[in-house]
Amino acid sequence: MHDMILKPSFSTLPVIAIDGPTASGKGTVAHRVADALGFHYLDSGALYRLTALAAARAEVLLTDETAVAEIARCLKTRFVGESVFLSGVDVSDEIRTESAGQNASLVAAMPSVRAALLERQRAFAEHPGLVADGRDMGSVVFPGAALKIFLTASVEARAERRLNQLIQKGNSAILRDVVKELRIRDERDTNRPVAPLMRLVDAQLLDTTEISANEAVEQILYWVKKQSIVN
Ligand code: DC
């Protein structure tokens, strides 16, 4: 009887899991796919960025796993379009800096921080479906995802895109430093013992080195159609 009034579990809703390294264009592509399908969107990296920012604001050391996990459990977040709020304050720009990304990568390597954010991520799976982007969407958070994609690009292509974003925002940076920072983050995200970034055997590979974001979106929408994920 009770089953009839229960909210459908995340596994019964179509989830498209897009995982990949930093600056691969996942965010842009995932957002556009979600818009095209009318699905919800989860930017899981933002939760790690918000955790690191909230910890810094509370003057908690990023090496204190117990305290950082407690911060993660109590995060007050709100996502409105592309804007991200922490305790009611718009922190969209603040969490997108290079140092916010590095700090996010540090706290993301802590098992209890990941555990604290797990159910919060699953709660994004609501009718009619979800596009989720991150590192462990297909492996840990939504292992039953209808479609799993490993979206990547060469480190040089990713560094150039990141450099252009930085310049557009009025920051100065040099390509060599950006490449170095990407490599450090790739290394940490790929080699950590818990929920490392990896290409799953059941994930479609989408290399965007030579294609535009729109072409990547078209490819994903083609897979969605081919697998009859939406009617
Ligand atoms: O996707 P992003 O650059 O916003 O992610 C920031 C950091 O958070 C990234 O270096 C690794 C971590 N992360 C993670 O470990 N698992 C996720 N699902 C998403 C991000």
Side-chain angles (χ1 to χ4, degrees):
M1 269 311 264
H2 285 305
D3 284 348
M4 294 175 73
I5 52 166
L6 278 179
K7 203 179 139 204
S9 77
F10 72 87
S11 59
T12 63
L13 285 159
V15 173
I16 298 172
I18 304 182
D19 291 303
T22 192
S24 56
K26 288 183 307 307
T28 309
V29 170
H31 229 119
R32 290 188 199 171
V33 171
D35 281 350
L37 297 173
F39 278 17
H40 297 276
Y41 169 60
L42 165 63
D43 172 3
S44 63
L47 292 173
Y48 292 97
R49 289 169 183 265
L50 286 165
T51 299
L53 177 62
R57 289 201 172 162
E59 296 186 3
V60 160
L61 285 179
L62 293 188
T63 46
D64 183 345
E65 179 166 351
T66 310
V68 178
E70 188 53 27
I71 297 264
R73 236 184 316 278
C74 302
L75 275 187
K76 289 199 170 37
T77 62
R78 199 155 55 90
F79 293 84
V80 184
E82 302 211 351
S83 300
V84 182
F85 294 82
L86 176 63
S87 301
V89 178
D90 188 342
V91 292
S92 317
D93 289 338
E94 214 171 327
I95 62 161
R96 294 278 153 232
T97 64
E98 198 44 44
S99 67
Q102 294 289 354
N103 289 342
S105 172
L106 278 178
V107 301
M110 298 170 166
S112 45
V113 171
R114 304 196 74 84
L117 293 174
L118 188 59
E119 289 311 318
R120 190 189 283 263
Q121 293 173 81
R122 289 183 174 160
F124 277 77
E126 290 203 73
H127 183 77
L130 177 72
V131 179
D133 100 53
R135 306 293 185 288
D136 61 341
M137 297 297 96
S139 57
V140 176
V141 184
F142 301 109
L147 176 61
K148 298 180 187 180
I149 293 157
F150 187 76
L151 196 144
T152 190
S154 70
V155 71
E156 293 78 15
R158 291 187 283 129
E160 270 182 36
R161 287 177 201 162
R162 174 59 51 83
L163 185 68
N164 286 338
Q165 281 171 355
L166 288 169
I167 290 168
Q168 270 168 23
K169 285 189 187 159
N171 299 308
S172 62
I174 53 171
L175 190 62
R176 200 183 50 225
D177 292 345
V178 179
V179 169
K180 201 168 134 201
E181 289 190 341
L182 287 188
R183 286 194 202 279
I184 293 173
R185 200 121 73 88
D186 282 355
E187 162 77 17
R188 195 187 295 121
D189 295 345
T190 309
N191 294 323
R192 66 185 176 211
V194 58
L197 171 67
M198 61 169 117
R199 184 185 164 196
L200 302 169
V201 286
D202 55 346
Q204 299 275 10
L205 174 66
L206 185 49
D207 187 327
T208 66
T209 306
E210 310 249 326
I211 63 170
S212 68
N214 273 342
E215 286 169 310
V217 171
E218 288 308 316
Q219 176 62 64
I220 294 174
L221 293 176
Y222 168 77
W223 284 324
V224 167
K225 199 168 162 202
K226 196 167 155 218
Q227 292 182 216
S228 306
I229 291 167
V230 288
N231 300 318

